[in-house]
Amino acid sequence: MDDIAQQSIPLHSLPRKRKADSDDCDSTDIVCSQPPPSIHQLAPNPSKLPAPLSVQTNTASLWPPEDGPSANNSPLEPSSSSSSSPTSPLKPDSPSRTKRPRIEEAGIPTSPKSRKKLEPKLNKDAPSLAELCPTSPTSPTGSLPSPSRIVIPIDPCSPHIPVRNPPINKDTLKELDLEAILRNPQLRHDFLFDSGLQFRAAASRRKREQADTYWRAVLTELESGCTCVTFDTHGKPSGCVCVCRRLPTPPADPIIACLPLRRRLTLRMPSRIRPLLHELLLVLLSIISPQTPLVSTSPQSGRISLQQRRKQQQEQAQSLRAVLDVELIEQEMRHGLFDPSGAFEVIGQILKAHCAPMRDQAVDAMVQLAKTCAPCGGGGKADAVRAIRECFELLELMKLDIANHQMQTYRPLIIHTSPGFELRTFKERPNCGQAPLGITEQWLASAHRRLADSEYRLTLPDRPLSFKTLGKRSRVILSVIEGLVDLIFNPPSPVPLTSPIVTTTSPSHQLIPNIVTQLPDYPETLFLDHSRLIQLTKDAADVMSVYLLLMLHRQLLVSSYQDPSLPRREINTEDVDMQVIKKEILELAPRNIGRCFLRVRHSSDPQSSQAETREFEKWKSGMQSVVLQIASRASETRRSSGAIVSSNCSVRAPEPHLLKVAESWSEKHFKLESPLSTLMRDRLRDAVLETVVQTVLVRGSISPVTPAVSGSPQPAPRKLATGMEPLAPEIRQLSERLSKLAVLHLNVYQTMYEQDDFSEEW
């Protein structure tokens, strides 16, 4: 039966005599080649996902019938009457093939011998092809599928199907190359905010499960040669039903075997051994090969000349190609003679010449594990697979070390060339539309209008200056700062509460288009700062929530008693340690404590919506705990006549009347559009704006008048409004992050903003 998977003649083109429909339904197995695209071409990129796997059910592809499953014979095994070397049923001149009996028409008597032969085949429990395969998604509801093509909804990217290539390969490590780093705009922009930015190995749960599935499949193939994966008729994973006896040689492309009696479908996948060895060689060569002729790839190879380094790398590459000869290794594996210990000794010596000293111990452990697989070493195939897996993981760590070393080496160059590179990237970005700067122009014009209408005055060390009397350059800088602060406290788009959208290590060709479409209302020139602005927005909302809770505590201290006959005690709120109250609020506060002051973007996915609902319930429960603690502290202070209450003392239950007031107050004012929350947000916004202006424009390198003279006295920080004193560290930290964003943004786009196209009406 091995000839079936290797036939290249189209099945429907072979001449064949007509037979009864029941013969098609009685077949045990159907084998058919998978139409392109093949499984090994299916990448997890959503833009390249193919259609569901389709199965050709032409009757010419049926295997010869069997006598049905029994206690001793599996439906996958050839019948006992077949010869030891069966010929393909697709060959019309096959002499050993027995002609299948016809099903006689109704009313025509059949011989007892023929009836006896058909009785096992007419089992009512045996499914037909129409019952086995679901209808095509494109066919009308209730209609039967086409007899020649039936679509079975198997997800090609299902985690149940192990990938063809190892999880760590040359393509996944390509983004760590120096060339990819220098042309990655998001990475270079993030590097300006965090000079200690480093690459780290991904440790997500999905990647670990994918890697475990792959290495289990490799071990299974080495032990038994099986590469089969089984699904049911609805495309769901099922227990493996091996068809390797029918197809002993792994095919070049996936082959589908239908098992109607078992209502299963098995994929005979190509071998993973050759791609594994090929990727191992490619990754090793990428480690030892230089990225540029001027900079070495390893921090350990800087004491030799360039010519010596090139000669050494050529010799090492020849040694790697010799010990990782795929053809020779496959031949040795077929005869059971392959010994990986020698190859890993060579690999270990080469890796020690390029890795950091901290990796030497891991290299030695890998080589020792491979030596156990030598004859009389006591190891097995599982140890060999573990050694290869450790080698790939070690190569990934070495690639990360090299990339981090190159990032620090090229740091001055990245900083110096970032303004021009980001401006060029912005002008060359795809999908810029008809008005590439429409939102940015409206954003700057609105910020300029707000400053002019409010008669904003810039406070300088010697004198204040009116906004309208400033020069154009200073008004552009102030408008940008005003616009950034407004984006933080009044975001134009709903804010996602999950992790930031953009990651630093995302492929450079996937960064720009997705961001602009997900946050369409933000200025176009901030396309690299959306995730940063979102995080600042959530932090500002958290500070505002703590500000309101501190205000609630002050309100409860001066609240009247439930019994009017009790005298009202005068309590000075300045004597109360508000830092203790703030610390307790932050300790008890739920995650995203300020989410009630944000326009949250809800997910359309049902599972994500349920998770958001659970998070909201947790937030409500946490806020109730915070309000209860505040009411208890206020009640304790009222009982002690305004004395400072330590955070270590036990807190009794609050007064019922005071707790009811606190719950009613929080329910009324912890809303986005409540008048009190709007007033408090404006106060906090003005405090942050003034701090950023003083940092960037007055004390910073950008000055509206003359450059700052060395040794000149710095202006004292502006006093915060009443009630904000406990929040001074949070306001200062938020202002510093926003100031750095403003300075880096102005370094790139200030010249463009000063052009007449942007500020002709100013």
Side-chain angles (χ1 to χ4, degrees):
M1 294 302 171
D2 301 342
D3 300 334
I4 297 175
Q6 302 175 3
Q7 286 295 325
S8 60
I9 305 176
L11 301 181
H12 62 274
S13 62
L14 296 176
R16 179 164 183 173
K17 295 174 65 176
R18 179 179 176 82
K19 62 178 181 177
D21 296 337
S22 60
D23 293 345
D24 291 341
C25 302
D26 296 338
S27 175
T28 303
D29 303 323
I30 304 171
V31 177
C32 47
S33 296
Q34 167 66 19
S38 59
I39 294 297
H40 71 276
Q41 297 172 340
L42 303 181
N45 187 357
S47 62
K48 298 182 180 180
L49 288 181
L53 299 180
S54 55
V55 181
Q56 302 289 341
T57 59
N58 193 303
T59 55
S61 63
L62 293 175
W63 279 341
E66 297 176 352
D67 295 337
S70 61
N72 299 325
N73 296 330
S74 170
L76 298 177
E77 299 177 357
S79 61
S80 58
S81 61
S82 61
S83 61
S84 60
S85 59
T87 58
S88 174
L90 301 180
K91 299 180 181 180
D93 55 349
S94 178
S96 62
R97 180 182 178 187
T98 305
K99 183 177 180 180
R100 299 183 64 180
R102 291 180 179 272
I103 296 180
E104 303 296 340
E105 299 292 339
I108 302 178
T110 58
S111 61
K113 181 179 179 181
S114 177
R115 185 182 298 108
K116 182 178 180 181
K117 208 171 193 177
L118 290 176
E119 282 178 358
K121 297 295 183 178
L122 296 178
N123 185 3
K124 294 182 180 180
D125 297 333
S128 63
L129 280 176
E131 297 173 348
L132 169 67
C133 302
T135 58
S136 174
T138 58
S139 61
T141 305
S143 61
L144 292 177
S146 170
S148 62
R149 183 180 179 86
I150 297 176
V151 177
I152 297 181
I154 299 177
D155 182 11
C157 297
S158 170
H160 189 66
I161 303 178
V163 293
R164 289 279 306 274
N165 294 322
I168 301 173
N169 52 64
K170 191 174 184 299
D171 291 334
T172 59
L173 300 179
K174 184 178 295 184
E175 293 298 326
L176 298 176
D177 293 341
L178 178 61
E179 181 182 357
I181 292 174
L182 294 179
R183 60 179 172 81
N184 191 327
Q186 189 67 54
L187 173 60
R188 294 184 57 162
H189 188 70
D190 293 344
F191 189 64
L192 299 177
F193 289 88
D194 185 7
S195 59
L197 184 66
Q198 290 187 346
F199 292 101
R200 295 180 181 178
S204 64
R205 175 183 174 185
R206 181 177 181 181
K207 289 183 178 293
R208 289 196 303 269
E209 292 178 351
Q210 183 185 28
D212 293 341
T213 303
Y214 171 81
W215 291 111
R216 282 196 300 267
V218 171
L219 179 59
T220 302
E221 183 177 355
L222 287 176
E223 292 178 344
S224 62
C226 177
T227 61
C228 299
V229 182
T230 304
F231 296 87
D232 59 16
T233 56
H234 301 286
K236 303 298 182 181
S238 178
C240 182
V241 180
C242 183
V243 296
C244 294
R245 293 193 178 184
R246 300 283 182 151
L247 303 169
T249 303
D253 293 320
I255 290 184
I256 301 175
C258 295
L259 314 172
L261 291 181
R262 297 195 177 192
R263 304 181 67 86
R264 295 292 182 268
L265 182 146
T266 296
L267 269 69
R268 176 69 154 129
M269 299 293 295
S271 175
R272 296 178 178 85
I273 304 302
R274 175 179 285 269
L276 173 63
L277 298 174
H278 181 67
E279 290 294 339
L280 179 59
L281 177 61
L282 291 180
V283 176
L284 284 169
L285 293 178
S286 68
I287 292 292
I288 67 174
S289 299
Q291 297 292 324
T292 62
L294 298 179
V295 179
S296 64
T297 59
S298 172
Q300 303 299 320
S301 57
R303 298 183 179 179
I304 59 178
S305 64
L306 181 60
Q307 294 180 353
Q308 292 176 344
R309 189 182 307 130
R310 286 180 175 176
K311 182 179 179 181
Q312 181 185 17
Q313 290 165 355
Q314 291 176 359
E315 295 175 353
Q316 292 172 349
Q318 292 177 358
S319 301
L320 290 175
R321 290 189 177 96
V323 299
L324 292 178
D325 188 348
V326 179
E327 300 292 342
L328 179 60
I329 292 176
E330 286 186 339
Q331 184 179 0
E332 292 177 347
M333 291 176 62
R334 285 194 298 268
H335 294 82
L337 302 176
F338 178 61
D339 180 11
S341 58
F344 274 89
E345 286 184 3
V346 176
I347 293 174
Q349 295 175 0
I350 295 176
L351 291 184
K352 280 189 174 182
H354 292 270
C355 69
M358 61 183 298
R359 307 295 181 194
D360 290 345
Q361 186 176 0
V363 175
D364 294 336
M366 176 194 68
V367 174
Q368 292 299 324
L369 181 61
K371 287 183 178 180
T372 61
C373 303
C376 302
K381 295 181 179 179
D383 297 320
V385 173
R386 275 179 47 203
I388 298 176
R389 181 174 184 177
E390 290 182 4
C391 183
F392 272 99
E393 294 174 352
L394 181 59
L395 289 174
E396 183 185 27
L397 293 177
M398 290 181 58
K399 192 72 173 179
L400 292 171
D401 294 340
I402 293 173
N404 293 329
H405 172 70
Q406 291 172 344
M407 286 280 290
Q408 297 301 323
T409 303
Y410 279 88
R411 183 173 181 268
L413 176 65
I414 293 175
I415 295 176
H416 179 70
T417 59
S418 283
F421 174 77
E422 291 186 13
L423 186 60
R424 184 172 61 254
T425 302
F426 172 75
K427 293 180 179 180
E428 296 175 356
R429 76 193 193 283
N431 303 328
C432 55
Q434 298 292 336
L437 296 174
I439 300 178
T440 304
E441 293 176 357
Q442 297 177 5
W443 170 63
L444 279 180
S446 300
H448 184 274
R449 193 181 307 111
R450 286 194 300 270
L451 291 174
D453 295 343
S454 62
E455 298 182 356
Y456 178 80
R457 300 181 67 85
L458 177 62
T459 304
L460 295 179
D462 50 353
R463 66 188 187 279
L465 294 177
S466 175
F467 177 76
K468 296 181 180 180
T469 61
L470 297 175
K472 184 176 182 179
R473 180 171 178 263
S474 300
R475 284 186 282 128
V476 167
I477 296 173
L478 283 174
S479 299
V480 171
I481 296 175
E482 162 69 19
L484 290 175
V485 174
D486 190 68
L487 288 177
I488 297 300
F489 288 92
N490 299 291
S493 297
V495 178
L497 293 178
T498 55
S499 58
I501 302 175
V502 185
T503 57
T504 299
T505 56
S506 298
S508 57
H509 62 277
Q510 297 179 358
L511 289 175
I512 302 174
N514 296 336
I515 286 291
V516 178
T517 55
Q518 290 183 9
L519 297 175
D521 297 331
Y522 278 71
E524 296 88 354
T525 52
L526 292 168
F527 71 105
L528 295 177
D529 294 304
H530 286 174
S531 59
R532 195 168 290 104
L533 288 171
I534 289 173
Q535 187 62 44
L536 288 171
T537 300
K538 293 191 289 186
D539 293 344
D542 293 345
V543 175
M544 179 182 168
S545 182
V546 177
Y547 186 22
L548 273 178
L549 290 172
L550 294 176
M551 182 64 67
L552 170 61
H553 183 266
R554 290 189 178 93
Q555 293 288 334
L556 295 179
L557 290 178
V558 298
S559 178
S560 60
Y561 291 89
Q562 185 177 8
D563 188 359
S565 61
L566 294 177
R568 183 172 180 176
R569 299 175 181 177
E570 295 294 336
I571 299 177
N572 188 3
T573 57
E574 295 182 357
D575 296 336
V576 180
D577 190 358
M578 300 301 293
Q579 292 293 337
V580 175
I581 306 300
K582 186 187 75 171
K583 181 181 178 181
E584 293 179 350
I585 291 174
L586 295 177
E587 291 176 351
L588 295 175
R591 181 185 178 187
N592 295 323
I593 185 176
R595 64 173 296 165
C596 57
F597 302 116
L598 298 174
R599 289 191 300 140
V600 180
R601 186 179 65 191
H602 299 284
S603 176
S604 58
D605 185 19
Q607 295 183 355
S608 300
S609 299
Q610 295 177 0
E612 291 176 359
T613 303
R614 291 193 297 267
E615 286 294 330
F616 181 71
E617 294 298 328
K618 291 181 180 179
W619 177 85
K620 290 177 60 177
S621 176
M623 290 300 296
Q624 292 175 358
S625 301
V626 172
V627 172
L628 177 61
Q629 179 69 15
I630 291 176
S632 300
R633 282 298 183 188
S635 180
E636 194 72 21
T637 303
R638 287 155 61 97
R639 294 192 190 101
S640 59
S641 300
I644 298 177
V645 180
S646 173
S647 60
N648 298 325
C649 66
S650 58
V651 180
R652 293 180 293 179
E655 304 171 20
H657 170 67
L658 206 62
L659 179 60
K660 186 176 180 180
V661 171
E663 292 177 347
S664 175
W665 192 93
S666 61
E667 183 178 355
K668 179 180 179 181
H669 297 297
F670 274 82
K671 295 180 181 179
L672 180 61
E673 301 298 337
S674 67
L676 181 60
S677 65
T678 304
L679 177 63
M680 306 294 276
R681 180 170 61 248
D682 291 342
R683 287 184 179 180
L684 186 60
R685 179 185 179 280
D686 294 339
V688 172
L689 174 63
E690 188 62 29
T691 307
V692 174
V693 169
Q694 293 293 323
T695 303
V696 175
L697 199 57
V698 179
R699 299 197 303 270
S701 59
I702 305 175
S703 176
V705 282
T706 58
V709 181
S710 178
S712 59
Q714 298 293 337
R718 186 177 180 180
K719 186 178 181 180
L720 297 175
T722 304
M724 291 187 185
E725 295 84 356
L727 298 174
E730 287 77 10
I731 294 175
R732 182 174 60 253
Q733 183 183 15
L734 186 65
S735 301
E736 290 176 355
R737 294 161 59 192
L738 196 54
S739 300
K740 191 169 187 177
L741 173 60
V743 170
L744 294 176
H745 184 76
L746 287 169
N747 287 341
V748 179
Y749 299 104
Q750 180 181 348
T751 305
M752 187 175 65
Y753 291 158
E754 293 176 359
Q755 297 176 2
D756 294 337
D757 297 340
F758 278 86
S759 56
E760 59 182 356
E761 299 179 358
W762 295 7

